[in-house]
Each structure stands twice: as C-alpha cells, then as structure tokens.
Amino acid sequence: MIELSQVRKVFHAGRPNEHVAVAGVSLTLEAGRLTVFRGPSGSGKTTLLSLIGCMTRPTSGRIFLQGREITSLPLPFLTDLRRRTFGFIFQQFHLLAKVSVLENVMLPAYPLGESYSALKSRALSWLERLGLAAKAAAKVEWLSGGEAQRVAIARALINGPQVLIADEPTAHLDSHLSQEFMALMADFKTAGTTILIASHDPLVHEAVAVDRVVDLRDGRLVSPESRIC
Amino acid sequence: MARRLHKQRYLLDFALSSLWRRKGKNLALLGVYSLLVFVLASVLFFTQALKREAALVLAASPELIVQKLAAGRHDLIPAAYAERLREIRGVSRVSGRLWGYYYDARVRANYTVMAPEEVAVPEQAVLVGAGIARGRHLSRGSTLTFQGYDGTPRAFQVRGVLSPESELLTADLVLMAAADVRRLFGLAEGLYTDLTVAVNNPREVATVAAKIQELLPDTRPILRDEIRRTYEAAFDWRAGILLSVFSGALLAFLIFAWDKAAGLSAEERREIGILKAMGWETGEVLQLKFWEGAVVSLTAFFMGTLAAYLHVFVAAAPLLAPVLQGWSVLYPRFRLTPFIGLFEVAILFFFTVVPYTAATIVPTWRAAGLEPDQVMRS
Amino acid sequence: MVRKSTLFFAFLTTVVLALGLALGEARLRVRGELPYLRQEVMVVKTLQLTDLCLATEARHTRHPSQADWHSAFQSHPAALDHFPSGSIIPPPENVRRGYGPQAP
Ligand SMILES: Nc1ncnc2c1ncn2[C@@H]1O[C@H](COP(=O)(O)OP(=O)(O)OP(=O)(O)O)[C@@H](O)[C@H]1O
Ligand SMILES: [Mg+2]
C-alpha cells in the first residue's frame, strides 16, 4: 500500500551543516501489517515516518500511496490526504493543556467540518473503547501517563485513518503499559489498520503482533531484514 | 456549504477554548480594551451630539455681526452706523444689540446681561436663566441686586426664569430693559454693543461683509459660519486633548495587545505546531487566530460602545462633561440630544475591531507556516 | 455541556440587540426632542444669540464673536482658545485677511 522509491531527505542541503537524514530508502509496506522501525538514535526513524506521513517532502525519490504518487501533490491535496489517511501518536503525546479530553480528541476533525453530534458521539465512543469515558470532560493535565497516551490514540483515530503512525510510543510508559499499548495496536491491526512504529524498545520489537522489523542505520536500511513473518 | 459553516463553528469553539485557557491575561486585555472603546465612544458621542446641536441651533443666529474697533479693541458702536449699513444692497435688517458681562462675586460667575429687542421686559425687572436661578436660589418674585458701574446697588425683581429646555443657550442670561442695561453699565444713549445684520441672499454674505469693511473701515464683520467653525474646532480640539491625554492608555493597550498577539509565546507556538501536525492547514490556523481576535475585539467593542451610550446619553456624561464642555462656574444642565446613528457606530467599529483583529492574525503568519514535522522533534 | 460557540452567539445576539435598541432609542429621542430644539432655535432667533452657554468664564468661548483683536491668547475671533494651539494653528485665512479691499 505504501511504496518508497530511492527516498532521500537532506537537511540544510548545500550548506556546511548539510545532513543526510534518509539516504535512499526503497521499501514496500503492505496494508494491514504492523511494521516496526528500529535503529540507533539519529538513524532517521522519525524522519522516515514523517516522510511517509506526508508531514514533509523528500529531497528526492518518490513515495506512492495506494499506487498514487504523492511526492508531487500540491500542498492542499497533500494535507487533505494526510488527515484522511494517517493518524499520528507522538512520543510526547502533544496534547493541548487546559483543554478537555474530548476537545483534544475532536481536534483533528475540526477542519473537516462534519456535524457536531456525529463527531462528538464518535469521539465519545473511542474514549469509551479506550476506557476513558469518565474522563471526557477532564482537563488533560490531570491525566496519568497511560491515560494521556490513550487520549493521544483516540485523537489519532478520530478521522478513521488507514495508517497509524507512532513515534517512540512507549518511551514514557512502564513495561506493563507498554504491553497494553502493543495489545491495543494488535487489536487495531486485526481491524485492518496499517501500523508503523518507530522504537528502540525491545518490548515493542518482540511483541507478537509485529509482522516486520525494519532496521535503519545512518539513514539506510540494514539488509537483510531481521524478521519477516 | 454546511461543512464550511460547521468548520467555522468548530474553529470558533476552539478559539473560545484557547482564550479561556489563558483567561487571566485575556480578561485583563478585554477589560483594558473595553475601557478604551468606552472612552473613544464617549468622546465621539459627546462631541458629535454637541456639535450637531450647536450647528442646528446656531443656524438661526444672525448672519453677520458688526463690531466697532477702537485702537484694535472692541468698542461700542454708534447707532448711526446702523443707518449706513442699511444702505448696503442686500441687507434686509440691521439691529443693535445691547449686552455685556456682569461678574457676580457672590457665586463667582459671569452673567450675560442682555436687552432683548423682541421680548418686552419692564423696567427694574429681569428674566434670568435657569443656571443663575439655581446658583442664586431665585424664583419668580425674588429680588436680584446688581452693583452698577458707579457702585450704586440696583434691585431688580425676577419676573420669571427662562425655560430650562433651552439652558444650553440661556443658563447665564439676564434679560432686562434696554434703559436698565444702559443705567447699570453706564452706557450712553445711541451706543450699542454690536450690530446684527440680516442678509437677503445667504450667498451674498461675504460680499456684504466686504462692503461693510469698505464703508466702515473701523468695524469688523463676523460671519455666522466663522462662529460655527470655531465651535467645531473647539470641540474637536477638546476631544483631541482628551484623546491625547488618553493616548498613554492607548499606548499601554497597544503594547499589551502586541505582546499578547505578536509575541507568540513558546506555548502558543507549540500549540500551532500540534495543530499543524494534526493536519490543520496554515489557513485554518490563521482562521483560528482570526476568530480569537474577533471574539476579543467584538466583545470589547459592544461592551465599550453600550457603556458609552449609557454614560453619555443616559447619565449625561459625568466623567467627560467637565473636560469636553470646558471649565465653568455655571454649568448649564442640558440633556444631550443623542445625535448618533449607524455611521458613528460604524466608524468606531472600524477603528477598534479591525486593527486589533488584523494585529492578531499578522504575527501568527510565520508560526502558522511551520513545517508540521517540527512537532515530532520536541 | 453547551458548546462555547452557542454561548458566544447568545452573547453576541444580546449585545447586538442592545445596541440596536440604543440606536433606536437615540432616534426616538431625537424625534421627541425636536420641539425643544425648535424652541432653542426660536430663542436664538428672538434674542439674536450667537453662542452656546457652555463655559461662562471664558468669554471668547461663551462669545467668540466678542473677542478683542489684540488681547493675550486671543488673536482672532475664530482662533482656538487653548493656549499653545492658538499660537500654532492660525484662524481661517479669510478671517485673517478680512473682507475689505485694503486687505493685503
Ligand atoms: N530539521 C532538521 N534539521 C537538521 N537536521 C535534522 C532535522 N531533523 C532531523 N535532523 C537530523 O536528521 C537525523 C535523523 O533524525 P531522526 O530524528 O529521524 O532520527 P531518529 O532515528 O528518530 O533518532 P531518535 O531515535 O533519537 O529519535 C539526525 O541526525 C537529526 O539531527
Ligand atoms: Mg526519533
């Protein structure tokens, strides 16, 4: 479903501090699979995920989404594609403080302009499925780390994405919560969502739901791939 | 279409949430902003109402006044001058006005003593303005004593108090018979304070004034238009003084607003980053900021304007009148006719809401253009 | 939980209505005061007044038409009566020129 062809991302190109973060990656990611990107710090995991998630454009190379080339799409189309296709979970959760849990979850859907009642009931049902129904009106800063992450997950799911992208999702969780997170991801995978995770955490690599681990080093794939199920 | 409406409504919802999140700062801003609109609106309403009323009422005053000058100073004018003026073509009527100022040491106020031509006042009687009646506790039948030019006290019986409806014009007037005015001030028969000239064709006033100056080189004609302009200038000037005194507050507000709007805090920058990462477009972030600015400025505009209306036209401008009206001992009590309409309100709207809203959007421009992937690295 | 935008719309509707009422009242009051204004016009006409009675102490404000030509802070009948301004902003050109042919 996602295909990368010779994708490069160079920061500060042509300047003394030029840095090649992703150096020619070609990769095919199938729909409905859970893929983990692994590699030392600075190996380009985050950069690769933001390239796939249309948050930034590659310096060269092409990315295809369901056979459609997206690298050359004009910005408004790209944004629209991004918010309908991808859901993001960040390492720091990046929830908005002093705003209710419910509003945080609904936030990514605001620009799409659907009716309030539909959006609200969808957000509430996600919160319920994630065991947060009682916290809908609570402020974000009152939440525990695990709750905050589940809010971030609900937010990532609100637009019904086909692809869920998580960058270091377990960095702030203890091992029990990390396992819970991976179990949730397994559920979503079963429901047909494609899942991409960048992580150093062995708990993540070793989870049973993981279909594939992609190793990165200095912006390149390390071949052969360690595990393909 | 429905989607667009829903979307704007969501943006408004979120703008309100954002404002509410920093409620301490935003409420303070709103308070200062409303106060600013209140002062601006009060000044505008007050001066506007007074100017319109002055223009309306003084349109009926004599078209031309002729004063005699002696060595460059105002002097009494002989009745014979009136005869000369009547010969000028285009002049329909010339009459002598007999009037002067009387300083009443008891209330430390100046009265305007006048012998009206068209109102018959018996000798040793006066009609007094409502301001004087208040100051000296006079009513019909009381006695009012003036000290004549030669020091002799002269008693007058109050025949009536001028209607309080016209206090804006008559609060300080004392009307008495011409003979009494002459006796009180020691003015010789055949001399007047000045002459008023009515002109057939209003367009000929300047020509007539030129002829007067030619015919009587020691006089000075004063046009009604000039008096009207003086009033406008005086009110505009006072409004200007008030606003410039207030400009300190205005400046403080601007700095405050700028700090709030322009100096996007790290926190706000972070939020914009999150919104971008969540799939918001630059335009949507700007629309959000537009709503934030619009909410604050609309609220301040309506609160300030409504408060100003109540202050000026219901409470008679207790906070502004002393400055805008000028200093005085005998303040006339007059109700301000609310000569304001949509136009004045629209001007206020334009000068308060638009700049602020614009000022909140412009600085967001750069932050809103942040690459969405930036948020992944913080 | 009421949406915040609903509350804001309610607020906005209230204040717009209030301002509308205020402007309406202003209109009615102007109409109601026309008789008094007419009375004021009559007073001006019969007494041949030239000035408003706003500041009774400054004679050039109470009676700008009665100003001397050469007294302190008061150089012209149409000059501003506040100290620095009178010396900065001249009265209208035609006033300074006068009306006679002898004027420069
Ligand atoms: N905006 C940028 N400007 C310059 N260099 C950048 C920028 N973003 C990333 N880099 C560099 O690109 C390289 C890859 O960064 P990236 O964040 O993708 O690594 P990572 O594998 O996610 O690391 P970590 O495991 O520490 O999160 C790093 O050396 C980083 O310094
Ligand atoms: Mg990273």
Side-chain angles (χ1 to χ4, degrees):
Chain A
M1 114 166 254
I2 301 168
E3 208 183 316
L4 284 77
S5 154
Q6 286 304 315
V7 171
R8 275 169 66 81
K9 180 71 180 178
V10 184
F11 290 107
H12 310 299
R15 280 192 267 159
N17 58 348
E18 177 176 294
H19 183 88
V20 182
V22 175
V25 169
S26 298
L27 188 66
T28 306
L29 298 164
E30 278 146 58
R33 298 292 184 89
L34 198 167
T35 307
V36 175
F37 294 86
R38 176 168 70 180
S41 184
S43 57
K45 302 183 294 295
T46 301
T47 310
L48 194 61
L49 286 187
S50 52
L51 285 168
I52 294 171
C54 307
M55 285 216 187
T56 182
R57 289 176 196 275
T59 312
S60 65
R62 292 190 291 177
I63 301 174
F64 298 87
L65 184 70
Q66 282 158 339
R68 183 173 173 206
E69 214 243 332
I70 56 169
T71 11
S72 54
L73 278 181
L75 192 61
F77 290 95
L78 199 64
T79 310
D80 194 57
L81 188 76
R82 171 154 68 95
R83 55 193 178 196
R84 288 176 194 281
T85 313
F86 298 99
F88 295 90
I89 301 165
F90 305 104
Q91 181 176 348
Q92 320 277 357
F93 310 148
H94 286 313
L95 298 176
L96 288 182
K98 296 184 197 165
V99 173
S100 72
V101 164
L102 183 67
E103 242 188 311
N104 261 289
V105 172
M106 286 162 65
L107 206 59
Y110 282 174
L112 302 178
E114 66 192 296
S115 90
Y116 181 73
S117 51
L119 175 57
K120 189 178 170 188
S121 64
R122 190 148 40 90
L124 284 174
S125 78
W126 271 119
L127 286 175
E128 196 164 344
R129 273 181 61 187
L130 294 167
L132 287 166
K135 302 277 180 188
K139 301 249 143 115
V140 159
E141 58 271 30
W142 301 338
L143 299 178
S144 72
E147 287 169 337
Q149 186 175 53
R150 278 177 282 148
V151 173
I153 295 170
R155 182 177 66 179
L157 292 168
I158 194 70
N159 284 339
Q162 293 154 278
V163 184
L164 202 55
I165 293 179
D167 190 16
E168 310 282 1
T170 59
H172 294 299
L173 303 180
D174 60 26
S175 45
H176 172 68
L177 285 173
S178 301
Q179 272 158 352
E180 240 174 43
F181 173 81
M182 287 314 289
L184 260 175
M185 291 301 121
D187 286 351
F188 295 143
K189 189 183 89 170
T190 321
T193 310
T194 309
I195 297 170
L196 307 176
I197 302 175
S199 182
H200 312 281
D201 188 351
L203 256 169
V204 172
H205 312 148
E206 287 154 18
V208 277
V210 174
D211 297 305
R212 180 178 177 192
V213 176
V214 176
D215 276 300
L216 279 173
R217 184 173 292 272
D218 299 330
R220 287 174 215 282
L221 298 184
V222 178
S223 50
E225 286 183 3
S226 14
R227 187 172 81 180
I228 299 179
C229 305
Chain B
M1 190 62 209
R3 272 186 185 274
R4 282 212 192 137
L5 279 180
H6 283 308
K7 173 171 164 183
Q8 293 306 322
R9 182 115 185 253
Y10 282 127
L11 293 180
L12 174 58
D13 266 334
F14 190 63
L16 288 163
S17 287
S18 289
L19 290 171
W20 192 245
R21 255 184 315 158
R22 289 176 277 272
K23 54 177 164 300
K25 204 172 175 188
N26 282 319
L27 285 177
L29 177 77
L30 192 65
V32 179
Y33 195 174
S34 304
L35 183 73
L36 195 83
V37 176
F38 168 76
V39 171
L40 274 175
S42 293
V43 170
L44 181 76
F45 289 171
F46 192 94
T47 41
Q48 184 65 19
L50 217 47
K51 273 161 67 175
R52 289 277 290 274
E53 181 149 358
L56 199 76
V57 167
L58 293 181
S61 66
E63 280 137 340
L64 259 172
I65 290 170
V66 180
Q67 295 178 339
K68 181 172 183 291
L69 296 177
R73 311 207 67 162
H74 177 216
D75 195 16
L76 298 174
I77 193 161
Y81 278 43
E83 296 309 318
R84 305 278 307 272
L85 293 180
R86 285 192 188 100
E87 288 160 16
I88 297 174
R89 224 160 50 114
V91 168
S92 62
R93 200 181 86 134
V94 178
S95 57
R97 292 202 303 177
L98 195 58
W99 66 279
Y101 298 116
Y102 179 87
Y103 181 70
D104 185 350
R106 272 181 62 187
V107 290
R108 301 194 181 171
N110 273 306
Y111 303 157
T112 300
V113 178
M114 192 167 219
E117 206 177 37
E118 293 177 18
V119 182
V121 187
E123 293 200 8
Q124 266 143 53
V126 286
L127 297 172
V128 295
I132 299 176
R134 256 199 316 275
R136 294 283 306 258
H137 307 290
L138 300 174
S139 58
R140 199 187 155 90
S142 338
T143 307
L144 182 62
T145 308
F146 288 140
Q147 195 180 38
Y149 74 104
D150 51 358
T152 53
R154 294 176 186 278
F156 295 90
Q157 202 200 16
V158 176
R159 275 297 168 91
V161 176
L162 296 171
S163 152
E165 310 291 357
S166 59
E167 213 172 305
L168 184 57
L169 292 155
T170 61
D172 70 336
L173 279 190
V174 177
L175 301 182
M176 59 174 78
D180 279 333
V181 174
R182 290 186 192 283
R183 269 196 293 273
L184 182 66
F185 292 131
L187 303 178
E189 203 67 43
L191 289 177
Y192 289 98
T193 313
D194 50 26
L195 304 175
T196 62
V197 176
V199 179
N200 287 328
N201 183 351
R203 269 179 298 177
E204 279 177 9
V205 174
T207 326
V208 170
K211 277 190 202 151
I212 292 172
Q213 195 127 70
E214 195 179 358
L215 202 63
L216 303 166
D218 61 343
T219 65
R220 172 177 63 167
I222 297 168
L223 273 55
R224 181 172 66 200
D225 268 0
E226 285 159 8
I227 298 173
R228 205 205 63 225
R229 259 209 304 270
T230 310
Y231 270 110
E232 297 212 335
F235 292 141
D236 285 347
W237 172 249
R238 290 211 177 105
I241 286 192
L242 203 85
L243 290 183
S244 63
V245 166
F246 204 69
S247 65
L250 187 75
L251 207 68
F253 170 74
L254 286 182
I255 292 167
F256 195 21
W258 189 253
D259 166 64
K260 216 238 114 222
L264 281 183
S265 61
E267 195 194 343
E268 281 172 290
R269 213 171 275 278
R270 194 183 87 96
E271 281 166 25
I272 291 176
I274 294 174
L275 294 178
K276 296 280 309 213
M278 293 286 91
W280 286 41
E281 283 171 21
T282 306
E284 286 151 359
V285 174
L286 291 178
Q287 282 167 36
L288 172 74
K289 289 291 159 182
F290 162 80
W291 279 116
E292 282 185 23
V295 164
V296 170
S297 52
L298 281 176
T299 307
F301 168 75
F302 280 107
M303 305 291 271
T305 308
L306 281 171
Y309 184 86
L310 293 177
H311 170 231
V312 174
F313 295 121
V314 177
L319 303 176
L320 278 187
V323 190
L324 286 177
Q325 236 171 273
W327 177 82
S328 182
V329 171
L330 288 180
Y331 277 116
R333 269 192 211 155
F334 57 93
R335 87 182 108 201
L336 269 174
T337 309
F339 282 113
I340 57 151
L342 270 180
F343 180 69
E344 282 74 24
V345 173
I347 285 188
L348 256 173
F349 184 86
F350 193 78
F351 281 101
T352 54
V353 172
V354 176
Y356 181 82
T357 310
T360 41
I361 301 178
V362 173
T364 319
W365 212 277
R366 271 172 55 197
L370 279 178
E371 284 279 316
D373 69 319
Q374 290 301 317
V375 75
M376 294 186 87
R377 333 197 154 269
S378 55
Chain C
M1 205 166 52
V2 189
R3 282 179 80 173
K4 292 194 178 76
S5 53
T6 313
L7 294 177
F8 184 69
F9 283 134
F11 166 78
L12 213 55
T13 317
T14 315
V15 287
V16 167
L17 277 181
L19 194 62
L21 275 180
L23 290 182
E25 196 231 19
R27 250 219 151 108
L28 281 181
R29 256 168 75 178
V30 169
R31 200 170 300 164
E33 283 175 24
L34 281 181
Y36 303 119
L37 289 171
R38 269 191 218 110
Q39 194 180 331
E40 285 185 345
V41 169
M42 278 314 293
V43 167
V44 167
K45 241 189 200 131
T46 48
L47 299 182
Q48 301 206 50
L49 296 177
T50 45
D51 304 277
L52 300 181
C53 170
L54 278 179
T56 53
E57 313 319 305
R59 67 173 173 153
H60 39 269
T61 302
R62 173 67 175 110
H63 294 287
S65 52
Q66 287 303 296
D68 281 340
W69 234 346
H70 305 293
S71 55
F73 307 132
Q74 179 61 59
S75 33
H76 286 280
L80 296 171
D81 65 324
H82 291 274
F83 162 58
S85 58
S87 53
I88 296 167
I89 304 165
E93 178 58 27
N94 59 332
V95 178
R96 279 184 294 159
R97 203 173 47 228
Y99 299 96
Q102 81 277 26

